[in-house]
Each structure stands twice: as C-alpha cells, then as structure tokens.
Amino acid sequence: MLPFAILLSLAGTYLLFDARPGINWGIWATLLAIGVVAAQWSQYGRVGRVTAGLALLGAAFAWGIAVTANEALTVISIAAAFVAFSHAVLAMPDVGTRQLTVGRLALGPIEAPVRGIAESGRQVQEALVAARREEALPVLRGAGIALPVVAVFALALSTADPVFAAWRDRAADSLDHLPVARVAFALVLFVASLGALGLAARARQRAAVIPLMFAPTGFRLGFTERLIPIASAVALFACFLVLQVSYLFGNAPAVEGSGITFAEYARRGFVELTFVAAACGALLVLLRGGKEHPGDARVLRVLELVLIAELALLLASAFRRIVLYEEAYGFTMARVWGQAFMLTLAAGLLVLGRELAGAFDVHRLVRRQAALGAAMLLALTYWNHEAWIARRNVERFDRSGQLDLGYLAEGLSANGVPAALQAARRAGGERGICADLRIRRRWAGVLERRAWYEWNAAVPPVRSALSAPLWYTLSTTERSRLLAGGCAAVESTEAKAQPQATGTV
C-alpha cells in the first residue's frame, strides 16, 4: 500500500496542483478507486458491493468535472466525490446498504479523515519497523554511507568538469527555489491516500448502532401527540388550498390591479412553498416511531398520505410559478437549479409517501433521499443546461422580441459560450455586437494552451466558437469606442425598453 500511496500522491501533485479542472480529477479519482478496491481485495479476498459502488460513484462525480466548466458544480462535485470515497473506505466487504444508517451517512465524511490520518501514521510506523529488520539494515546502512560520499566526490569533480558544474548549479538552484507549496500538497495527498488505502484494507467492524436523534429512547410520542400536529397541518393546508386555488394555480400577476409582480409571485412560490414542503416532510419523519393500536395506526397513515398529497400540490404550484416567471423574463441558472431542486423534492415526497405507507425505515429513507440528490447533481453536471438556457432564451426572443444579452454574456460559465454567441448573432445590431465583444473579452483566456491533463469537454466547443469568423465588421476605432463605454450606453437604452423584474429570483 505504501508504494501505491506514493504513486497516488505523485500523480495527484502532477495532475492537480495549480491545474485547471479537467480530466485530471477523473484520472486521479479512478486511480484512487482502483487502489481502494485492490486494498480491500488484498485483505479480504473480495470487494463489498457498497465499497465498489461508492468508489464508482466518487469517480463518476470526479469525471463530471471534465464535462462542465461551471465553477459551482465543480466545487460541489469535488465535495460529493469526497463524501462518496469517505463512505467507500469505511465500508466492510460484508456491509450492505442497510448498514448505511443516518448516523453513518452523517458522520462518515468526518470519521474517514480522522481515522485516515491515524491509519496513515500506523502504516508509516509499520514501514519503519520493517525497515529495522536485519535483512533491511545493510541496505539502509549502505545508502547512508553512499549518499554523503557521492555528494562530496560530485562536488569535487564539479570543479573539473563543466557538465558536473552545471548539475551542481542546477541542484543548488533547485534548493533555493524549493516548491514548498507543491511539496506540502504532495504530503497531504500522501497522507490522505495512505489513510484511505489502509482503511479499505484494515477496516474494523464498528458498532452496529450509532446513537442517533432518531434512535428509540425512554420517551415515545403516543397516538394523541402525533395525531394533533399531523391533523392540524392537514387542515391548515386544505384551507390554504381551497381559499387560494385561483392564486396558487392561476396567473395572479397577469390580473390587472392585482398588485402582485411576477418576481413576488415566483419568490413566494419557491421560498415559502418549497420550505413548507421540506419542513413538513421532516416533521413526518420526526413524528414516527410511536406505538399505537392498528386502528389508530391506519388513521395516522391516512392523514400522513393526505398531507403528502397536499405538499405535492403546493410544490406543483411553486414549480408553475417559476415557469410563469421564465415565460415573462427568460431562463437563468438560478431558476433552472430551483426547478431541479423542486423536482428532487417532489421525488423525495414520493419516496417518503412510500415509506409511510409501508414499514417505515428512516435509514432507508435517508439513503434514497441521498441517492436522489446524487442523481440530481450528476444530471446537472453532465447535462449542459447552460447551453439549453441560452437556446431557450433565443426561442423566447423569436416569440417576444425580448432577450437579456447581458445575462448571457456575464451570467453563464464557459458551458454556455457557443449558445450565447449564437444568441448575440440572432439579436443583431449594436446590442448583439456588444454582447459578442463582451463574451470574447471575458473568455479570451480559454484560447490559451492547456496541459493534456487539464482537458475539459466544454473547452473545445468554446474555442471553436470563439475562433469562428465574425458575423460583423468593425473598424479599430469603432471597436475601441464600444469597448470604452459605447456598449454601456447601448445596453442602458435597451434595458429601459424592456420590462424589468423586481427581486432576485
């Protein structure tokens, strides 16, 4: 394991240190996944499905970094890969998904680094003990004698030979410019890699039950204590839905004199309604675990399922509000991410409803919710939704004549550059030219040469789009005028001509 950990640290330092995100993360994560699987195989003669699956999931998150140029998704993918590998190295070969309890899922990302550091120290200690054995001592003594002797002789010969002198000067220069940050990065990777491999090979069976806030205690809620809050929530949401059907599912901002803007309408939908859906789902989970007669249990189950249905209706209304907002003001990443979150929350409500209708298991519920979150993240990472946003805004421009080129030029990552340039061309005029100039100035660095391990699937299309012939001709004077402030005046005039949304949805 020690040699492979050294390989991982050297490869990671070469691929990741001071490098732009690309296939480098996927390559290193794949090497780590292979090492984790091999370490567990070497110790137990087999690999657990949980370990293999989570290592594969971690590699999938890491490879997603080479697909997207979105910085936020890149950071989230790195964090998700870390969480997946944390659980992979802690899982025993005989551990099934049922052993991934709420406590383990929550504590794994904390436990793995702490235990990994201790395991790394133990591995180094074992290596030092092994080095002190009789068969290794002669080699160590010989190396200890040879190094200073060779160094002295080389220094002496360097005064008589220009090649040796050049090597001496190069070695001295390297010592003067020792890359401390790179060495520290390599040491961190070495400790992390050795700890991960050691945990995968020498994982100890932990206690089957970890104290949880969901664990049974001496106090349990009875039927009445559970019935009152659930029934109250059902009645509250029923009243809310009946009294405000036209507001929830209508188009209140379009009604003259309503006093409601699209931004207020959508904000209320996304914030309040999604918060209520998530909070009530958590409430249903916290109220489980009591003992009741079969008849009482049926009453509670019906009320819980009715509450789930009401929450689904509220969530559907929140989703529709965002759709109306997009129709009025266009598509943005925040709005698309909000819709993705609502779809994931809706799927989570379905999973919760299934659990409530059957034998409720909070650990299974959390595992499935985590799987839904991972699926959403992978979908957003591997799907170029920013290009889709730009194309949908162009389609809206064809219908309404309204297009927020400022957002397309500044609000999207490199993923959306080709589509944003097409949108600028479609808009035409000085406004389109200004957007094109802003995009090219912002992403000029993409044309710079990259190392092979920094390759990213989003970069070649951007380079191709930026290198394509311009659809307009500008003199040097006109180009300077627009970049010096002429574009600001053009965009200000265009902005006044378009309806504005209030708020930050």
Side-chain angles (χ1 to χ4, degrees), residues 272-360:
E272 282 88 347
L273 298 183
T274 52
F275 170 77
V276 166
C280 283
L283 176 65
L284 289 174
V285 173
L286 292 173
L287 291 178
R288 295 295 296 187
K291 292 291 185 180
E292 61 275 330
H293 297 294
D296 295 339
R298 283 193 294 272
V299 172
L300 287 175
R301 185 172 299 174
V302 170
L303 288 175
E304 289 168 342
L305 295 179
V306 170
L307 184 55
I308 291 291
E310 291 175 337
L311 294 177
L313 287 175
L314 292 178
L315 206 55
S317 172
F319 191 89
R320 186 172 182 275
R321 293 168 186 234
I322 296 294
V323 171
L324 291 174
Y325 195 78
E326 289 171 334
E327 291 177 355
Y329 296 106
F331 295 78
T332 66
M333 279 198 297
R335 293 161 200 166
V336 171
W337 285 19
Q339 289 173 308
F341 172 77
M342 284 187 279
L343 289 174
T344 306
L345 184 56
L349 287 177
L350 292 177
V351 172
L352 176 59
R354 181 179 177 182
E355 288 290 333
L356 294 173
F360 184 81

Side-chain angles (χ1 to χ4, degrees), residues 181-478:
R182 184 180 291 270
V183 172
F185 185 80
L187 288 176
V188 170
L189 280 185
F190 171 74
V191 172
S193 302
L194 186 59
L197 298 178
L199 288 178
R202 298 175 179 271
R204 295 287 186 260
Q205 185 69 45
R206 294 178 300 280
V209 178
I210 297 177
L212 304 173
M213 65 185 218
F214 301 105
T217 62
F219 173 77
R220 290 188 177 184
L221 293 175
F223 169 72
T224 303
E225 291 94 334
R226 298 168 62 199
L227 174 65
I228 292 175
I230 295 176
S232 300
V234 169
L236 174 65
F237 293 136
C239 180
F240 189 73
L241 288 169
V242 169
L243 293 178
Q244 302 193 36
V245 168
S246 61
Y247 177 78
L248 282 170
F249 297 99
N251 191 351
V255 179
E256 186 176 355
S258 66
I260 301 170
T261 67
F262 273 107
E264 293 170 341
Y265 188 66
R267 269 204 316 278
R268 291 175 185 175
F270 178 69
V271 178
E272 282 88 347
L273 298 183
T274 52
F275 170 77
V276 166
C280 283
L283 176 65
L284 289 174
V285 173
L286 292 173
L287 291 178
R288 295 295 296 187
K291 292 291 185 180
E292 61 275 330
H293 297 294
D296 295 339
R298 283 193 294 272
V299 172
L300 287 175
R301 185 172 299 174
V302 170
L303 288 175
E304 289 168 342
L305 295 179
V306 170
L307 184 55
I308 291 291
E310 291 175 337
L311 294 177
L313 287 175
L314 292 178
L315 206 55
S317 172
F319 191 89
R320 186 172 182 275
R321 293 168 186 234
I322 296 294
V323 171
L324 291 174
Y325 195 78
E326 289 171 334
E327 291 177 355
Y329 296 106
F331 295 78
T332 66
M333 279 198 297
R335 293 161 200 166
V336 171
W337 285 19
Q339 289 173 308
F341 172 77
M342 284 187 279
L343 289 174
T344 306
L345 184 56
L349 287 177
L350 292 177
V351 172
L352 176 59
R354 181 179 177 182
E355 288 290 333
L356 294 173
F360 184 81
D361 185 340
V362 66
H363 307 296
R364 180 174 58 204
L365 173 64
V366 172
R367 288 194 299 268
R368 289 175 175 175
Q369 299 285 12
L372 289 174
M376 180 194 70
L377 175 58
L378 288 174
L380 288 175
T381 301
Y382 283 89
W383 170 46
N384 191 351
H385 56 284
E386 295 178 69
W388 180 84
I389 288 171
R391 290 193 295 268
R392 290 300 302 271
N393 282 328
V394 171
E395 293 173 4
R396 177 176 169 273
F397 171 73
D398 292 335
R399 296 191 305 269
S400 64
Q402 298 174 0
L403 183 62
D404 188 354
L405 283 174
Y407 176 78
L408 296 182
E410 301 292 342
L412 301 177
S413 72
N415 291 335
V417 167
L421 288 173
Q422 293 177 3
R425 181 170 186 169
R426 182 70 184 83
E430 279 197 342
R431 183 162 165 256
I433 294 174
C434 285
D436 188 279
L437 291 174
R438 288 173 62 185
I439 294 170
R440 294 178 184 278
R441 181 173 56 182
R442 180 185 177 194
W443 297 107
V446 175
L447 298 175
E448 297 176 357
R449 186 174 180 180
R450 291 184 171 218
W452 68 268
Y453 51 79
E454 295 178 322
W455 186 89
N456 188 298
V459 173
V462 175
R463 286 178 172 172
S464 177
L466 293 176
S467 302
L470 298 177
W471 54 271
Y472 55 88
T473 56
L474 285 179
S475 65
T476 304
T477 303
E478 186 67 12

Side-chain angles (χ1 to χ4, degrees), residues 44 46 90-96 99 104 111 115 199 202-209:
Y44 299 98
R46 59 194 177 94
L90 292 175
M92 296 284 288
D94 56 349
V95 167
Q99 278 70 45
R104 290 188 180 180
E111 180 184 358
R115 293 187 62 201
L199 288 178
R202 298 175 179 271
R204 295 287 186 260
Q205 185 69 45
R206 294 178 300 280
V209 178

Side-chain angles (χ1 to χ4, degrees), residues 113-198:
V114 173
R115 293 187 62 201
I117 293 173
E119 179 65 23
S120 178
R122 193 180 65 79
Q123 292 281 345
V124 171
Q125 183 180 14
E126 286 186 357
L128 293 175
V129 171
R132 294 177 61 183
R133 295 172 184 168
E134 286 300 323
E135 58 270 21
L137 282 176
V139 177
L140 293 177
R141 292 193 189 105
I145 296 172
L147 285 175
V149 170
V150 170
V152 171
F153 289 167
L155 287 174
L157 292 174
S158 65
T159 60
D161 184 85
V163 175
F164 273 68
W167 290 350
R168 177 200 61 202
D169 296 339
R170 192 174 303 169
D173 186 65
S174 299
L175 292 175
D176 291 338
H177 300 86
L178 184 67
V180 178
R182 184 180 291 270
V183 172
F185 185 80
L187 288 176
V188 170
L189 280 185
F190 171 74
V191 172
S193 302
L194 186 59
L197 298 178

